[in-house]
Amino acid sequence: MSAVSEAVPVERVRESAPRYKGAIVLAFAICGLFTLAGLLVPPTLSHDPAWGMQEWRSYRAGNPINTVTHPDVKDISRDQADLLTWWSPGQYLVPGALTLLGFRLGTALSIVAGASLLCCLLGWIQVGKHFALSPRIILLLVACIGTFRYSTLPFGVYNGGEILLQGFTPWLILAACSIPSMSALRAAGLACLAILIAFFLKLTGVMVASVAFFACALEALIRLKRVTVGMIAGAFGAIVAFAILYGAWFSRGSTPASGTGWSFRAADVLFAWGAPWGAGVSWTDMFTSLMLNFRHPVLSGSDAESGNLAITIWLLVIPTLLFLTILVQGWRRRSQDENLARLLQITIFFYAAYALAMSAIFLRGGDVSLEERHLRAAGMLIFVCALATASRLRPRSPSRLSLGALCALMSLYGCFAFAYRARSTKRSEIDHYSGTYQPSVDESAIEFLRTTFAQQGRDALIVLPSPEAASAFSPSVRILTNHIEFEPEETISSRTYRGKVRGSVYVVVPARMEQSVKTTLLLKEFIDYPLEGWEKRSFGSSIVFVQPATGAPK
């Protein structure tokens, strides 16, 4: 790391503001480049926002907001609407609003990803200025966070709430730092508004905002040795926000954090406390992609999941030791730099509270996967704190050199993964209707199904092998989705659909799964249709099984 500079005194931060122009220019350049690439090679949708966009399709079809209308499993000729509280609305309302302006969905997703990343980088610049980091360190911070894998991923695979919350996280930290010194009214209003906005972007945002307020209030309490009006008012504003959210959302359905019951699992706790140390640089994401890819797993069989988790936890030892060593060195120097001392304390409190909260969710049986993305906020703050601390170490310090090497490696990985995805994307897999990348259903099959809809209308029923493929169809099309490639056979065999539709039923599966047991089980789900009545049609990488219409279209 060659970016060496002493901390800028607090009273000089405002005077030296023009010196941060380079970081701002770099932030715009990085976001502009990735957004342009995303417009040329549009992204696909990951699982959560794919379901969210089905809510948007339902809304565009004239149904209430935040509901999904789908064929009734008891009679597929009828529709039923379900209120969804599992995902926050921001992941689909933000890009959905852009489509109302005439943008295709793929374009809207790229714009949202670019704007969110820009918001993230500008936010961390402000955090750096707040803690009096030098312009060169802030420049390095922008270059790293802007190119790490969690920042480049959304331009290829839109992950909805993940990138939206990433963009808002530094601003939540800044708000939390300001609340203890604010007047009562301003502190209460800011705390309430911040929690509501964070919730809108991602359900986890409520926890991120709450933990940020707690960490900054505790740091201020220790430093000032008194409880301020802002602390009390901020807590009141947070309580008001929780009351609003409970009445409007959490009391109306379950969420991933609802849980099924308490059960202690040491691996879950270790992951909750270990993952933040690598989440700020996409450490486990890199090894999951390179070593534990589901198509070429290191382990197989019943022990695969626990084995992969064990490998992941062991791999976390490397960034944990590095960042912990740097923070300990910074802690020993905290008396020499008040800003560094504040940043260290806030980081430690934030990390501890966040890891404790995630441990509770895991142990309560919450439906939250053991992925580092759920601990990204703590990971980014740890990385920022480590970078700030390393800038105070001597130039040839082993810790400083190791951190520089890690930053270079993870930035290269983030850029390479993005470039590889863009280069390997086939133009034939880009849907011309939605402008999104559709790898799960062949475009010729999509065109065939669109033609079918034009002929039969809502009398037909289309069954897709992934929720992201639903975005390739008009909101008027009746659609069922599944995850045949990832669902276990037991899940498929236990699911049934009754009744018949007046038009035809079209079941789409990947061509490579044509002869698989899962495909047979999927066709058997429609128990009122004879198994031998399915007709097969091939379209490149997709197979469409058809049950002829049972009656004339309306």
Side-chain angles (χ1 to χ4, degrees):
M1 288 176 50
S2 59
V4 186
S5 180
E6 296 298 325
V8 180
V10 177
E11 62 270 19
R12 290 178 53 199
V13 172
R14 188 170 299 177
E15 297 177 8
S16 61
R19 297 168 58 197
Y20 295 96
K21 183 181 295 185
I24 296 174
V25 171
L26 180 61
F28 274 93
I30 290 174
C31 297
L33 178 63
F34 285 133
T35 302
L36 178 61
L39 295 175
L40 297 175
V41 185
T44 186
L45 289 156
S46 65
H47 175 269
D48 288 1
W51 283 107
M53 292 313 300
Q54 292 204 57
E55 296 179 62
W56 179 252
R57 291 182 71 255
S58 180
Y59 174 70
R60 291 298 309 276
N63 297 292
I65 192 70
N66 212 54
T67 61
V68 169
T69 302
H70 57 84
D72 189 344
V73 297
K74 298 178 181 179
D75 184 357
I76 57 176
S77 66
R78 302 180 303 182
D79 286 336
Q80 73 174 51
D82 294 328
L83 175 68
L84 291 187
T85 55
W86 202 259
W87 298 285
S88 60
Q91 61 176 339
Y92 66 88
L93 284 181
V94 175
L98 291 179
T99 64
L100 297 179
L101 299 177
F103 294 105
R104 291 193 299 173
L105 179 60
T107 301
L109 298 180
S110 296
I111 292 175
V112 170
S116 297
L117 180 57
L118 180 61
C119 186
C120 170
L121 297 179
L122 294 179
W124 285 119
I125 291 174
Q126 293 301 316
V127 170
K129 291 169 63 177
H130 180 82
F131 290 102
L133 302 186
S134 72
R136 295 175 65 186
I137 291 301
I138 293 180
L139 187 70
L140 181 60
L141 176 65
V142 169
C144 290
I145 291 183
T147 54
F148 286 157
R149 182 54 176 156
Y150 56 79
S151 294
T152 64
L153 174 66
F155 295 96
V157 182
Y158 176 72
N159 51 11
E162 304 295 338
I163 185 61
L164 292 173
L165 181 58
Q166 179 185 329
F168 198 54
T169 294
W171 299 101
L172 286 174
I173 295 172
L174 282 172
C177 289
S178 303
I179 284 178
S181 60
M182 283 184 170
S183 64
L185 185 60
R186 293 182 64 189
L190 180 58
C192 181
L193 181 62
I195 288 179
L196 293 178
I197 293 176
F199 159 81
F200 174 78
L201 301 178
K202 185 175 172 60
L203 295 186
T204 313
V206 176
M207 186 168 65
V208 174
S210 302
V211 168
F213 296 154
F214 165 78
C216 293
L218 184 56
E219 182 277 327
L221 179 63
I222 294 174
R223 175 167 45 86
L224 301 175
K225 296 181 175 58
R226 63 185 177 88
V227 177
T228 66
V229 172
M231 295 177 193
I232 298 174
F236 175 77
I239 292 173
V240 171
F242 282 123
I244 294 173
L245 293 176
Y246 180 79
W249 192 277
F250 294 114
S251 64
R252 304 180 67 185
S254 61
T255 68
S258 298
T260 57
W262 292 97
S263 176
F264 181 78
R265 295 174 296 277
D268 292 4
V269 176
L270 288 173
F271 184 84
W273 288 86
W277 297 99
V281 295
S282 282
W283 180 258
T284 61
D285 175 82
M286 179 177 69
F287 283 96
T288 299
S289 300
L290 299 179
M291 299 176 60
L292 307 179
N293 188 287
F294 79 96
R295 296 188 187 278
H296 307 286
V298 174
L299 302 174
S300 59
S302 59
D303 295 331
E305 183 175 350
S306 59
N308 290 348
L309 178 58
I311 293 174
T312 299
I313 292 175
W314 277 109
L315 288 172
L316 285 169
V317 172
I318 298 175
T320 300
L321 289 177
L322 175 59
F323 287 127
L324 191 58
T325 299
I326 293 174
L327 296 190
V328 169
Q329 291 175 307
W331 185 257
R332 292 172 178 171
R333 292 169 170 79
R334 68 188 186 280
S335 60
Q336 305 171 16
D337 190 328
E338 180 183 350
N339 287 299
L340 179 62
R342 289 185 59 218
L343 180 58
L344 280 165
Q345 287 185 339
I346 290 172
T347 300
I348 293 170
F349 297 149
F350 189 100
Y351 160 71
Y354 201 89
L356 185 63
M358 288 303 301
S359 297
I361 291 175
F362 290 149
L363 297 182
R364 197 172 185 274
D367 191 7
V368 180
S369 57
L370 297 178
E371 297 178 73
E372 68 176 15
R373 62 190 177 95
H374 300 302
L375 298 113
R376 187 81 68 205
M380 286 194 293
L381 184 56
I382 288 174
F383 172 73
V384 171
C385 186
L387 199 62
T389 302
S391 69
R392 272 74 166 180
L393 304 180
R394 56 187 177 85
R396 297 188 181 279
S397 165
S399 298
R400 181 175 177 142
L401 294 175
S402 298
L403 180 59
L406 178 66
C407 290
L409 172 64
M410 302 314 297
S411 291
L412 285 174
Y413 165 66
C415 294
F416 175 80
F418 173 80
Y420 177 80
R421 184 264 170 191
R423 182 179 177 84
S424 61
T425 298
K426 300 177 181 177
R427 301 300 301 181
S428 60
E429 294 178 337
I430 298 176
D431 174 51
H432 68 83
Y433 167 77
S434 64
T436 58
Y437 176 52
Q438 293 290 341
S440 60
V441 180
D442 194 282
E443 184 65 15
S444 60
I446 292 175
E447 289 293 343
F448 166 72
L449 295 172
R450 288 198 190 107
T451 302
T452 293
F453 173 73
Q455 297 171 347
Q456 298 187 20
R458 291 182 58 81
D459 287 329
L461 175 63
I462 297 174
V463 184
L464 299 172
S466 62
E468 61 266 22
S471 298
F473 297 91
S474 161
S476 302
V477 179
R478 299 186 75 230
I479 287 176
L480 280 173
T481 61
N482 56 61
H483 271 113
I484 184 175
E485 198 164 3
F486 304 98
E487 292 175 329
E489 294 179 7
E490 295 76 12
T491 300
I492 302 174
S493 61
S494 64
R495 187 171 52 210
T496 59
Y497 298 103
R498 297 182 178 277
K500 293 184 176 182
V501 297
R502 297 191 61 178
S504 302
V505 178
Y506 301 87
V507 177
V508 185
V509 298
R512 59 182 174 274
M513 299 187 66
E514 178 185 353
Q515 303 297 327
S516 69
V517 175
K518 286 185 177 182
T519 296
T520 301
L521 294 175
L522 178 61
L523 299 178
K524 287 183 177 179
E525 289 182 4
F526 298 87
I527 59 178
D528 290 332
Y529 287 93
L531 183 61
E532 61 276 7
W534 293 98
E535 303 173 358
K536 186 184 74 173
R537 302 191 184 185
S538 299
F539 298 91
S541 62
S542 297
I543 300 292
V544 179
F545 291 93
V546 184
Q547 280 280 359
T550 59
K554 295 179 182 179

